[in-house]
């Protein structure tokens, strides 16, 4: 398992910022998990891709921008029952926090997460080739609280 810490006690990530990392698959199935905790505020996640270096035009992530308007192809887990847990939002919801309207980076839908007290998780399992190198990228937005928040990506088998 590899944990990529995007930020702890995250500062503003405004506007959306793209993050990109590489990993080498150690199994024919790889799970990519996003973990969020934001005691005051919200993270917005959009436009996720996992692409093999050898096939950069093929995105392995299904419903990568949440454009189905639901968790289709994703597994959502909130083991501690955190309030303000992750949901799929659409631009027309005009979700506002601290005078900022949260919108998708691309398209009409995005994942919004403000889990309080403990993290919640969003994951998808992908077919991968052992020893192949993959790029994972995504767009993230955050109105900070400055404390008690973090965003991680976990790559596991």
């Amino acid at each position: 398992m590899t944990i990529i810490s995007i930020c702890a006690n995250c500062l503003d990530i405004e506007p959306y910022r793209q993050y990109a990392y590489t990993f080498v698959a150690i199994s024919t199935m790889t799970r990519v998990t996003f973990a969020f905790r934001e005691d005051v505020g919200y993270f917005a996640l959009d436009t996720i891709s996992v692409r093999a270096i050898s096939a950069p035009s093929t995105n392995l992530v299904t419903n990568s921008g949440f454009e189905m308007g639901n968790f289709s192809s994703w597994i959502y887990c909130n083991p501690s029952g955190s309030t303000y847990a992750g949901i799929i939002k659409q631009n027309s919801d005009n979700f506002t926090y601290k005078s900022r309207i949260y919108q998708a980076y691309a398209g009409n839908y995005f994942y919004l997460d403000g889990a309080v007290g403990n993290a919640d998780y969003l994951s998808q399992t992908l077919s991968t080739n052992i020893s192949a190198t993959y790029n994972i990228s995504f767009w993230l937005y955050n109105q900070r609280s400055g404390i008690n928040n973090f965003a991680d990506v976990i790559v596991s088998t």
Side-chain angles (χ1 to χ4, degrees):
M1 173 172 35
T2 300
I3 299 175
I4 303 164
S5 180
I6 302 163
C7 58
N9 295 325
C10 308
L11 300 176
D12 285 344
I13 304 171
E14 184 181 21
Y16 270 96
R17 183 176 305 151
Q18 184 179 33
Y19 292 85
Y21 305 94
T22 60
F23 67 91
V24 176
I26 61 171
S27 175
T28 58
M29 300 301 285
T30 300
R31 178 174 299 180
V32 174
T33 303
F34 292 89
F36 295 107
R37 175 182 173 180
E38 178 60 282
D39 283 5
V40 179
Y42 294 88
F43 285 102
L45 173 68
D46 202 10
T47 315
I48 303 160
S49 71
V50 174
R51 300 171 189 272
I53 297 290
S54 61
S57 62
T58 303
N59 187 1
L60 302 178
V61 178
T62 306
N63 196 18
S64 62
F66 308 100
E67 292 305 306
M68 294 177 153
N70 57 39
F71 285 111
S72 179
S73 302
W74 292 95
I75 296 171
Y76 174 77
C77 180
N78 185 1
S80 299
S82 298
T83 57
Y84 303 102
I87 57 174
I88 307 299
K89 294 295 257 180
Q90 59 185 348
N91 290 341
S92 63
D93 293 335
N94 290 314
F95 179 82
T96 304
Y97 179 74
K98 288 192 175 182
S99 303
R100 299 286 201 298
I101 296 175
Y102 281 65
Q103 298 281 294
Y105 171 75
N108 293 308
Y109 292 88
F110 61 101
Y111 176 75
L112 180 75
D113 198 311
V116 173
N118 293 289
D120 58 357
Y121 305 89
L122 182 68
S123 66
Q124 192 169 133
T125 302
L126 312 169
S127 294
T128 52
N129 295 317
I130 296 172
S131 299
T133 301
Y134 293 84
N135 284 325
I136 179 172
S137 74
F138 52 91
W139 291 84
L140 191 65
Y141 176 90
N142 178 48
Q143 276 299 120
R144 71 177 175 139
S145 67
I147 58 170
N148 295 330
N149 66 37
F150 66 84
D152 292 336
V153 177
I154 303 161
V155 179
S156 60
T157 54

